[in-house]
């Protein structure tokens, strides 16, 4: 499938892709319901993956709190849409995680998430909320840096990082809503970096709806933006010759989740791919968490390096 936005159609190198109504959009900003849908999916998954039941159940609670905070809170400061024009014009990520982290008030989003969670967490998680409320602003910022850089952080504070990540996600999803329009498809050399915030994708997703039916997108784990990538192509090295698909199966050989690892023999990396053709409610981030066993399996085998970045699940050393 060819892809381009209407402006590029005139000059792009594939020749004459028509400006057809069926052209899937190159970049899709997150919907308002991104966290509520994720919460629903995580709840489902917590009922299906017994070994991760509590973890996924807690993550479902967190996603619901993210939804409430995104829907109900109006932050005191948001960037003006004109602030993004220059970046959008020059094909640079307008919401770069490094450029913006110091300027924005993500900690108020965190407090709001903790408030929304307060009445809904069990004894096991309550200490996490208390610890986070006790940390000073500088320590929280240091944790945010660790999350955004994919570093495991100090061992004693590692358990707090998914909650820090949840606040950063709300902050960035909110900022995508201030963009005057979606960015263009990223340039070739940056094809596997989010065109909004510059993060690596958590996984890719095959859609089933409307113009995007059967089309594959990379999904950002920070800002939930999705951007087009041809199917059966390695997101890291761009080759297609040695791709294989590996999933988790039950004893009867039936797929457990609509999630597979797309492994590339050329660069020895893999990125997971989730298909809504298998399950309409599948969510790249939720299904990535639920298919942790697949990463463990590939990790033990030692042949392929994971390229996906899930801020909710940064592994320790
Ligand atoms: Zn992003
Ligand atoms: Zn590759």
């Amino acid at each position: 499938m060819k892809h381009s936005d209407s402006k590029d159609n005139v000059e792009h190198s594939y020749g004459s892709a028509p400006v057809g109504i069926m052209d899937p959009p190159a970049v899709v900003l997150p919907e308002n319901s991104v966290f509520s849908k994720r919460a629903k999916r995580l709840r489902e998954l917590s009922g299906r993956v017994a070994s991760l039941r509590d973890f996924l159940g807690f993550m479902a609670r967190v996603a619901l709190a993210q939804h409430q905070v995104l829907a109900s809170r109006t932050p005191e400061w948001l960037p003006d849409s004109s602030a993004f024009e220059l970046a959008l014009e020059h094909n640079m990520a307008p919401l770069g995680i490094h450029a913006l982290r110091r300027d924005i008030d993500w900690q108020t989003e965190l407090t709001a998430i903790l408030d929304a969670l307060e009445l809904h967490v069990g004894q096991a998680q309550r200490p996490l909320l208390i610890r986070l409320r006790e940390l000073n602003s500088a320590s929280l910022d240091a944790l945010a840096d660790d999350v955004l850089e994919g570093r495991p952080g100090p061992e004693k504070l590692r358990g707090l990082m998914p909650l820090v990540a949840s606040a950063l996600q709300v902050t960035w999803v909110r900022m995508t809503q201030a963009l005057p329009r979606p960015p263009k498809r990223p340039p070739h050399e940056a094809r596997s970096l989010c065109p909004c915030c510059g993060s690596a994708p958590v996984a890719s997703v095959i859609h089933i709806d409307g113009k995007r039916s059967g089309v594959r997108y990379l999904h950002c784990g920070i800002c939930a933006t999705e951007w087009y990538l041809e199917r059966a192509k390695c997101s890291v090295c761009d080759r297609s010759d040695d791709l294989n698909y590996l999933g988790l199966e039950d004893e009867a050989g039936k797929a457990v989740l609509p999630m597979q690892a797309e492994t590339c023999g050329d660069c020895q990396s893999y990125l997971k791919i989730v298909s809504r053709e298998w399950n309409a409610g599948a969510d790249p981030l939720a299904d990535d968490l639920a298919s942790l066993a697949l990463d463990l399996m590939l990790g033990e085998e030692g042949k392929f390096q994971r390229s996906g970045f899930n801020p909710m699940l940064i592994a320790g050393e």
Side-chain angles (χ1 to χ4, degrees):
M1 170 146 333
K2 289 183 171 131
H3 195 277
S4 55
D5 65 27
S6 53
K7 248 191 188 159
D8 286 342
N9 270 324
V10 189
E11 65 223 68
H12 72 56
S13 54
Y14 315 120
S16 56
V19 189
I21 48 162
M22 289 312 285
D23 272 354
V27 176
V28 181
L29 299 176
E31 314 174 297
N32 288 328
S33 56
V34 55
F35 295 119
S36 57
K37 285 183 177 164
R38 185 174 292 164
K40 184 166 175 265
R41 179 63 179 159
L42 283 162
R43 259 197 314 277
E44 260 169 47
L45 290 166
S46 81
R48 284 180 49 190
V49 185
S51 58
L52 295 172
R53 195 187 59 201
D54 292 349
F55 172 64
L56 295 172
F58 177 56
M59 285 294 128
R61 274 285 168 211
V62 172
L64 199 60
Q66 288 178 292
H67 174 68
Q68 286 163 356
V69 170
L70 182 70
S72 64
R73 240 192 108 246
T74 317
E76 281 167 31
W77 177 84
L78 262 181
D80 187 78
S81 63
S82 63
F84 301 120
E85 285 295 342
L86 207 62
L88 288 170
E89 241 167 70
H90 290 86
N91 244 0
M92 283 155 36
L95 307 175
I97 45 175
H98 305 290
L100 278 168
R101 222 281 289 126
R102 300 279 160 197
D103 293 340
I104 47 155
D105 180 17
W106 71 276
Q107 295 189 11
T108 315
E109 306 278 19
L110 177 65
T111 307
I113 289 173
L114 297 180
D115 291 345
L117 275 174
E118 195 66 53
L119 297 172
H120 302 286
V121 297
Q123 289 305 320
Q125 289 102 18
R126 194 154 301 277
L128 300 178
L129 273 58
I130 296 169
R131 284 298 299 282
L132 270 172
R133 288 192 198 274
E134 285 169 356
L135 284 186
N136 64 31
S137 174
S139 309
L140 286 173
D141 274 345
L143 274 183
D145 283 341
D146 287 336
V147 169
L148 293 173
E149 299 291 343
R151 291 189 300 246
E155 208 179 328
K156 278 194 301 196
L157 302 178
R158 203 163 290 159
L160 308 178
M161 288 172 69
L163 286 166
V164 169
S166 75
L168 294 168
Q169 287 174 331
V170 170
T171 308
W172 256 269
V173 168
R174 209 191 279 291
M175 282 195 292
T176 64
Q177 297 174 339
L179 291 176
R181 61 182 179 276
K184 287 189 198 169
R185 191 181 180 190
H188 184 74
E189 63 280 10
R191 68 189 168 276
S192 60
L193 294 178
C194 173
C196 276
C197 77
S199 297
V202 57
S204 65
V205 51
I206 293 172
H207 283 274
I208 48 170
D209 50 320
K211 281 186 190 176
R212 296 208 280 165
S213 183
V215 182
R216 186 255 284 266
Y217 285 79
L218 299 175
H219 182 99
C220 177
I222 298 286
C223 77
T225 292
E226 294 189 343
W227 65 107
Y228 174 81
L229 185 74
E230 293 82 358
R231 283 174 80 157
K233 207 174 227 265
C234 171
S235 63
V236 174
C237 76
D238 207 30
R239 299 186 61 171
S240 311
D241 308 331
D242 197 5
L243 291 180
N244 281 295
Y245 294 86
L246 201 72
L248 297 168
E249 293 176 347
D250 61 17
E251 285 104 48
K254 205 170 159 275
V256 179
L257 293 168
M259 188 65 132
Q260 289 182 309
E262 185 177 60
T263 63
C264 173
D266 283 311
C267 70
Q268 276 85 47
S269 77
Y270 75 93
L271 184 71
K272 285 187 190 161
I273 179 164
V274 69
S275 179
R276 296 211 167 128
E277 291 163 341
W278 293 6
N279 184 311
D283 174 84
L285 189 136
D287 284 71
D288 179 47
L289 293 177
S291 58
L292 184 60
L294 188 54
D295 298 282
L296 297 177
M297 202 169 86
L298 283 158
E300 250 168 51
E301 206 182 281
K303 239 172 108 184
F304 302 103
Q305 286 285 326
R306 179 182 158 105
S307 67
F309 168 58
N310 189 333
M312 298 302 205
L313 194 73
I314 295 169
E317 61 268 357

